[in-house]
């Protein structure tokens, strides 16, 4: 289980995310993210975000970005979490910021930077700015605590629109960096790296804890007070940052070399660089999304690496029977995070590269899989399991992977499959790994068997009265709360049938029909090639019996609209992308979204060039409406929308 500190516990338990701190910790220890439900994924993201902002990071940045955020991006690219500036933990009341503070879009590769430069070029062309006049400014990206100074008050960034008044940091004597004056707008509260190492490292685990202390309402500790007095803690306005400025050709000719001096330009933690164009006309022309300015981008790299000794390689059996090698490492600090384990891609890599106890590997925090074993510096005889760590079956090679072939009686596979089912439904509570393990110990192996459980049986298995009651109730809840049919199908965990593919199939066939499809019929559906179709048809056949036992219990399934449905084709919303914003009078927003979907609409979370209609409820800002209209989106009031449907 992922360990959490008392501070993290307090923060997480104060959030309304549906899970408590222990549950979040438990979910964080799941390495195979596909088994995590949307609710759990969002809970992890919110919890990690809140802890990070409070100065007690729960996971390292890259894990947050590349695993959890990337997973959400993959499941639902339009999810609103991806397009909002994550709020900080509120400890007091909030005030409206003098100016909106957006987030910065991030790039992790030079290719992404090249694409961004291309967009700048295109924008310049559109408004007839000669290419030579395009100026790009590059500054270090401070890894501190974002704030806004309007000259009178200092604010936290909050949700980008409302933040907290933290003027007390200046009252306590905090200076503006570079002898700057007050009122220079956005910047970061930062702590000198060398000062931290010399004077504070023994007392504080990382500089974030100090940032949190500087702005906290309670009195600051003497050591922090002294750091403020000695101007080791300052507010650094972005406009005063050392910078490189040049034209687009200079940026692209040798980007990496260009960055060299910027990494060491300041004695503060930085986690990348910021690129922006300084030309005001281009800025105005490019504008912003809800989340970030289009004329600005952060380039994040982290080529910090460490040589780490492997203590052990532990096999873990997943739901599908694949055995994942997890390298347990001598705990090592890398870019502020302590890393004690890293997943090795597959067992073939363990075998060919000689990963085992005593091996020395180079661990890199980079923009890819994090933490990543870059190379093996000292190989040893690899540790290859011969049997499944869960059921003891003799395991076999399948391409690069070791597989437990025991499809019927392997605890890890059985339990992970059951956990996956309830998590994927995402409309119920209580059937986490611990409960499932206990049920399995009493011989429960299948989903339909769980649905047949009574409160008395559960009492007999050693569950408490309240838990037994809740579990039975949650089973009813899971059947009565409406759930999309594609989600229900995805819960059975058939290989290559995650949510997206389920939805695509169900646009053409009903759920029961899918089980009668052969490969030839499936490849006629857009997006299904021969190999996928074969795997899916086989996978469906394998779960068919269990599927119908569960399906026949009667779930409240919402049908995916059929593309061929002639009634729908007549609907004004058919195939149109619709976004709802503001609070609606005739129903909750989720209900209205479901209704629009049932009429054949594609529902988005934020306006893009593909949006047809933006339906505005109450309290929608004029800017938002103007921005949508600028993109050619038809803006409708709720009343106009309802009138259109009739
Ligand atoms: Zn097994």
């Amino acid at each position: 289980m992922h360990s959490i500190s008392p501070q993290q516990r307090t923060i997480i338990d104060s959030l309304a995310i549906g899970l408590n701190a222990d549950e979040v910790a438990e979910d964080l220890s799941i390495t195979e993210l596909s088994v995590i439900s949307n609710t759990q994924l969002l809970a992890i993201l919110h919890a990690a975000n809140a802890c990070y902002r409070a100065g007690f990071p729960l996971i390292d940045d890259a894990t947050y970005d590349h695993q959890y955020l990337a997973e959400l991006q993959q499941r639902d690219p339009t999810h609103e979490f991806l397009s909002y500036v994550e709020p900080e933990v509120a400890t007091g009341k909030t005030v409206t910021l003098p100016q909106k503070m957006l987030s910065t879009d991030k790039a992790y590769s030079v290719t992404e930077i090249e694409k961004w430069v291309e967009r700048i070029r295109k924008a310049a062309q559109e408004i007839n700015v000669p290419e030579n006049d395009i100026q790009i400014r590059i500054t270090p990206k401070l890894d501190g605590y974002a704030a806004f100074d309007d000259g009178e008050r200092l604010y936290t960034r909050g949700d980008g629109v409302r933040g907290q008044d933290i003027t007390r940091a200046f009252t306590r004597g905090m200076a503006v960096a570079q002898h700057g004056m007050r009122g220079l707008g956005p910047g970061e509260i930062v702590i000198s790296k060398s000062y931290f190492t010399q004077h504070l490292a023994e007392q504080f685990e990382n500089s974030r804890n100090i940032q949190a202390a500087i702005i906290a309402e309670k009195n600051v500790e003497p050591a922090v007070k002294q750091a403020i007095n000695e101007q080791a803690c300052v507010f650094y306005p972005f406009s005063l940052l050392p910078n490189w400025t040049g034209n687009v050709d200079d940026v692209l000719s040798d980007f990496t070399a260009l960055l060299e001096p910027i990494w060491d330009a300041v004695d503060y933690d930085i986690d990348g660089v910021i690129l922006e164009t300084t030309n005001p006309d281009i800025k105005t022309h490019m504008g912003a999304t809800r989340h970030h300015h289009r004329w600005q981008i952060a380039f994040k790299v982290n080529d910090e690496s460490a040589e780490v000794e492997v203590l052990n390689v532990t096999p873990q059996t997943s739901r599908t029977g694949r055995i994942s090698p997890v390298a347990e490492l001598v705990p090592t600090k890398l870019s502020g995070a302590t890393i004690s384990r890293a997943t090795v891609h597959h067992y073939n890599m363990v075998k060919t590269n000689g990963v085992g106890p005593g091996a020395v590997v180079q661990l890199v925090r980079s923009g890819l899989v994090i933490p990543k074993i870059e190379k093996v510096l000292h190989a040893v005889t690899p540790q290859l399991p011969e049997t499944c760590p869960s059921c003891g079956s003799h395991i076999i090679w399948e391409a690069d992977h070791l597989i437990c072939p025991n499809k019927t009686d392997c605890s890890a596979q059985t339990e992970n499959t059951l956990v996956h089912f309830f998590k994927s439904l995402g409309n119920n509570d209580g059937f986490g790994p611990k409960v499932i393990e206990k049920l399995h110990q009493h011989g429960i192996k299948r989903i339909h068997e769980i649905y047949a459980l009574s409160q008395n049986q559960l009492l007999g298995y050693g569950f408490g009265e309240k838990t037994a009651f809740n579990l039975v109730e949650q089973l009813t809840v899971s059947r009565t709360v409406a759930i999309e049919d594609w989600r229900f199908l995805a819960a059975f965990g058939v290989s290559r049938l995650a949510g997206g593919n389920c939805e695509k199939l169900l646009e053409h066939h009903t759920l029961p029909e899918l089980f009668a499809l052969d490969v030839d019929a499936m490849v006629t559906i857009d997006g299904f090639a021969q190999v996928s179709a074969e795997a899916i048809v086989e996978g469906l056949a394998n779960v068919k019996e269990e599927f119908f036992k569960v399906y026949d219990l009667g779930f409240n399934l919402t049908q995916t609209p059929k593309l061929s449905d002639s009634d729908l084709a007549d609907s004004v919303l058919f195939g149109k992308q619709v976004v709802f914003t503001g609070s609606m009078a005739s129903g909750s927003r989720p209900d209205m979204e479901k209704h629009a979907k049932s009429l054949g609409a594609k529902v988005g979370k934020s306006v893009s060039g593909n949006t047809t209609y933006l339906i505005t409820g109450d309290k929608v800002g004029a800017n938002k409406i103007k921005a949508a209209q600028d993109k050619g989106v038809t803006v409708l009031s709720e009343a106009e929308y309802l009138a259109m449907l009739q």
Side-chain angles (χ1 to χ4, degrees), residues 388 390-393 404-415 440 443 445:
C388 168
S390 176
C391 69
S393 297
C404 167
N406 180 358
K407 294 292 170 204
T408 51
D409 199 23
C410 173
S411 295
Q413 292 184 57
T414 305
E415 289 175 17
H440 187 222
K445 291 181 181 176

Side-chain angles (χ1 to χ4, degrees), residues 195-206 210:
Y195 186 92
F196 180 85
T197 315
Q198 263 182 338
H199 303 282
L200 299 165
E202 272 181 27
Q203 200 177 335
F204 296 90
E205 179 164 359
N206 60 46
I210 299 173

